Amino acid sequence: MNDSHTRKITGLDPTNGPTGGNTKVALTGESLQDVREVAFVPEQEPDLYYIQGVPDPSESKVSFKTRACQSGKMNVVVLDKRGAKIPCNFNFTFTEDSLDG
């Protein structure tokens, strides 16, 4: 079967946000309409997944708001409706919430 619609992630914006969550994040790429979840996986704990639901993906963009998460650099894992991983070579860094106004 010739798959002319290769799924791939080409961008992540922004690449960081506060541990308290609520950062609007956009993944861009190709053939993303079947994305179901995005997970943040700590580099030091590869079995720990912070799942972010994806409400309405389109062919070229997936937008969501982050949930609260521990601080640190996270690998971004993108899953389709079947639970298969879509290649993603981006990281997201959660930083401690600032108490400064």
Side-chain angles (χ1 to χ4, degrees):
M1 175 183 224
N2 184 5
D3 184 9
S4 61
H5 299 288
T6 303
R7 300 175 303 170
K8 64 181 177 180
I9 307 297
T10 58
L12 174 70
D13 185 50
T15 58
N16 59 58
T19 56
N22 211 31
T23 300
K24 188 172 181 180
V25 178
L27 284 170
T28 53
E30 297 176 18
S31 300
L32 303 180
Q33 64 273 11
D34 289 335
V35 170
R36 181 189 71 204
E37 295 175 334
V38 175
F40 295 119
V41 182
E43 289 189 330
Q44 305 304 326
E45 300 177 71
D47 294 329
L48 180 62
Y49 277 49
Y50 291 93
I51 301 293
Q52 315 292 310
V54 176
D56 191 22
S58 72
E59 169 119 0
S60 61
K61 186 174 182 181
V62 174
S63 297
F64 60 95
K65 285 189 178 180
T66 60
R67 296 180 182 163
C69 191
Q70 72 184 43
S71 64
K73 187 175 181 180
M74 307 283 173
N75 293 316
V76 178
V77 176
V78 181
L79 303 170
D80 70 11
K81 292 177 181 176
R82 296 180 319 249
K85 290 182 182 178
I86 298 171
C88 181
N89 295 317
F90 291 93
N91 295 307
F92 189 90
T93 301
F94 284 92
T95 56
E96 291 295 329
D97 297 335
S98 173
L99 298 177
D100 299 334

